[in-house]
Amino acid sequence: MKKALISGITGQDGAYLARHLLDNGYEVYGTYRRTSTPNFWRLDYLGIFDKINLISADITDFSSILDAIKTSQADEIYHLAAQSFVRASYESPIATANIDGISVLNFLEAIRLHDESTKFYFAGTSEMYGQSVQYQKMKLNEESPFNPVSPYATAKLYGYWTTRIYRESYKLFSVSGILFNHESPLRGLEFVTRKISNEIARIHLGLSKELRLGNMDSKRDWGYAPEYVEGMHLMLNSKTPKDYVLATGESHSVREFVEEGFKLIGKDPEKYVKSDKTFRRHIDFDLVLGDSSKAQKELGWKPKTSFRELVKIMVNEDIRRWEKWQKGERFSFDAPYYKEMEMKKRGREVLE
Ligand code: NAP
């Protein structure tokens, strides 16, 4: 039986990937960070909490990672844990550099010293492309130049290059997925898609009267997260270690997401959506569009869920959750609920 170790198993991608690997017969281990209140709601929601082996670890600490690798004896490691909010990377740039960048070195060094045959996946991001005028008319692929515009993106770029250097210098099977935005009902509430679906659900049920948003004209290439984790698995199981872009190749604006969502509840967004400058990024860019033809050709990966279906899945699921909440059922839902309280206090939102 193959063994996999997932860092960030409590996050959106980590939870979906764990389910995917379990479905494929893997023994799954996951690292999580020790907190006073454990954040296992996604694993519980997917019904896999009892099926995985959890290891408490600090990804910024080499010994902790080496221990996790020794404990799991994993054949495949998926390093997904990250401080994944662009805006928060301005609040804590040094921590972000450690968590998102240096942690990659901890994993690669531990693999090199423990067992060089262990395969390694790093969660790269389209944020590494950042902003460039030339991108306005381009679909971005594995050859496109990087131009990061946030501490988050520079930290990720460090991880990407280090993963590549270890592949080329030490011949490790270490690859990066350059993933464009991917969303789902398990997306954190800070992210704009989930913020929209959650608030539309609440408006539908009479629990809210407004949706406050920053730049409605920002466009992104939004896919469905469960399909993207399949791409990660394919990358580690292909013959040759290579980096791949995963994207839908379509872009849609925040405004379109809002309009599609409000259509589902039969209400006019004009009456509910308020513009709020505090939700804007330090440096924003209008359009991010990916070209995943290499992954489609070489891995057989393909995005299947349309933009409209994605909005529907997310809004309907948030309606279902809030309906349950109204009936007094709150278990799997407590984490997003408290997160919402925190967001109200801090007032922040990002696009990835
Ligand atoms: P997510 O839902 O925010 O999950 C992030 C995970 O990292 C969680 O398990 C979180 O743990 C963990 N984490 C955060 N800070 C940590 C720290 N200091 N030490 C250890 N663990 C920490 O993110 P996601 O959407 O699943 O994304 C997975 C990966 O893909 C991330 O690296 C992200 O940057 C990257 N990515 C995501 C997208 C996207 O559109 N979703 C696109 C490109 C790349 P807690 O549960 O304890 O908070």
Side-chain angles (χ1 to χ4, degrees):
M1 185 189 266
K2 270 196 187 175
K3 292 179 181 174
L5 175 66
I6 304 172
S7 78
I9 197 161
T10 56
Q12 169 188 260
D13 291 5
Y16 281 126
L17 178 63
R19 183 178 69 177
H20 180 67
L21 296 177
L22 286 168
D23 289 347
N24 280 276
Y26 279 67
E27 186 173 338
V28 176
Y29 291 77
T31 68
Y32 71 100
R33 56 177 162 165
R34 194 185 297 282
T35 50
S36 59
T37 313
N39 179 24
F40 297 138
W41 74 272
R42 293 182 176 94
L43 301 173
D44 183 47
Y45 172 88
L46 294 181
I48 57 171
F49 181 74
D50 293 332
K51 298 180 183 146
I52 52 180
N53 306 290
L54 288 167
I55 305 171
S56 163
D58 182 341
I59 58 168
T60 62
D61 184 303
F62 173 76
S63 323
S64 183
I65 293 311
L66 185 61
D67 275 352
I69 291 177
K70 282 183 179 167
T71 304
S72 64
Q73 292 294 328
D75 305 289
E76 296 170 13
I77 295 177
Y78 297 85
H79 179 29
L80 311 184
Q83 188 301 94
S84 61
F85 305 150
V86 172
R87 204 173 164 123
S89 74
Y90 283 93
E91 292 166 12
S92 49
I94 295 163
T96 301
N98 276 318
I99 296 161
D100 296 7
I102 298 296
S103 69
V104 182
L105 202 50
N106 285 333
F107 275 97
L108 289 165
E109 273 296 286
I111 290 172
R112 194 174 70 78
L113 296 172
H114 176 63
D115 179 358
E116 287 191 342
S117 70
T118 313
K119 295 181 174 180
F120 178 76
Y121 172 90
F122 170 62
T125 164
S126 56
E127 289 287 323
M128 299 186 306
Y129 295 120
Q131 183 189 41
S132 173
V133 177
Q134 63 188 0
Y135 292 168
Q136 299 293 323
K137 293 192 181 81
M138 259 170 79
K139 277 194 181 180
L140 303 166
N141 66 20
E142 294 79 5
E143 307 307 321
S144 305
F146 296 117
N147 184 30
V149 293
S150 66
Y152 168 72
T154 52
K156 283 285 187 181
L157 199 50
Y158 175 87
Y160 164 86
W161 279 114
T162 307
T163 301
R164 189 165 164 170
I165 288 166
Y166 272 62
R167 177 169 76 232
E168 289 167 2
S169 308
Y170 298 115
K171 308 296 172 217
L172 294 191
F173 196 113
S174 53
V175 302
S176 296
I178 306 171
L179 271 53
F180 283 66
N181 291 62
H182 44 282
E183 319 295 313
S184 76
L186 297 192
R187 192 62 150 144
L189 276 165
E190 294 86 347
F191 297 96
V192 71
T193 53
R194 181 73 207 297
K195 176 178 171 180
I196 296 169
S197 66
N198 184 57
E199 217 50 47
I200 289 178
R202 286 160 50 81
I203 288 168
H204 176 62
L205 297 171
L207 296 166
S208 168
K209 289 194 174 68
E210 65 175 24
L211 167 58
R212 302 190 83 85
L213 291 169
N215 185 1
M216 296 266 286
D217 297 316
S218 271
K219 284 188 170 175
R220 290 291 185 273
D221 181 324
W222 276 307
Y224 185 41
E227 293 165 9
Y228 284 55
V229 302
E230 290 176 20
M232 298 174 188
H233 182 222
L234 288 170
M235 284 180 219
L236 283 200
N237 285 277
S238 67
K239 259 198 180 143
T240 321
K242 287 185 197 170
D243 303 323
Y244 289 96
V245 164
L246 298 185
T248 67
E250 269 184 36
S251 78
H252 295 274
S253 65
V254 171
R255 190 180 307 283
E256 284 173 82
F257 200 104
V258 167
E259 284 167 0
E260 281 300 327
F262 272 94
K263 256 188 230 162
L264 292 167
I265 61 165
K267 286 193 163 40
D268 178 4
E270 293 290 315
K271 293 188 180 144
Y272 299 92
V273 179
K274 305 269 179 307
S275 171
D276 189 334
K277 281 190 182 141
T278 55
F279 291 127
R280 289 184 179 237
R281 281 186 179 200
H282 289 77
I283 305 175
D284 202 357
F285 37 88
D286 291 335
L287 179 65
V288 183
L289 193 54
D291 170 8
S292 59
S293 52
K294 181 175 156 192
Q296 299 200 26
K297 192 166 161 243
E298 296 183 10
L299 301 175
W301 180 85
K302 219 177 162 177
K304 299 180 204 99
T305 304
S306 70
F307 173 72
R308 189 175 283 182
E309 281 164 349
L310 174 67
V311 179
K312 194 173 170 185
I313 290 169
M314 292 180 70
V315 170
N316 284 347
E317 184 53 19
D318 273 321
I319 291 175
R320 196 187 69 87
R321 285 172 177 160
W322 281 108
E323 279 173 345
K324 279 180 92 174
W325 183 83
Q326 282 181 318
K327 288 181 199 149
E329 293 174 48
R330 291 174 71 169
F331 180 57
S332 282
F333 192 39
D334 274 353
Y337 176 76
Y338 288 120
K339 200 103 194 195
E340 189 195 38
M341 298 292 116
E342 184 207 343
M343 273 176 59
K344 279 208 166 120
K345 278 214 166 76
R346 294 173 60 85
R348 64 182 197 199
E349 164 210 357
V350 293
L351 275 157
E352 196 217 19

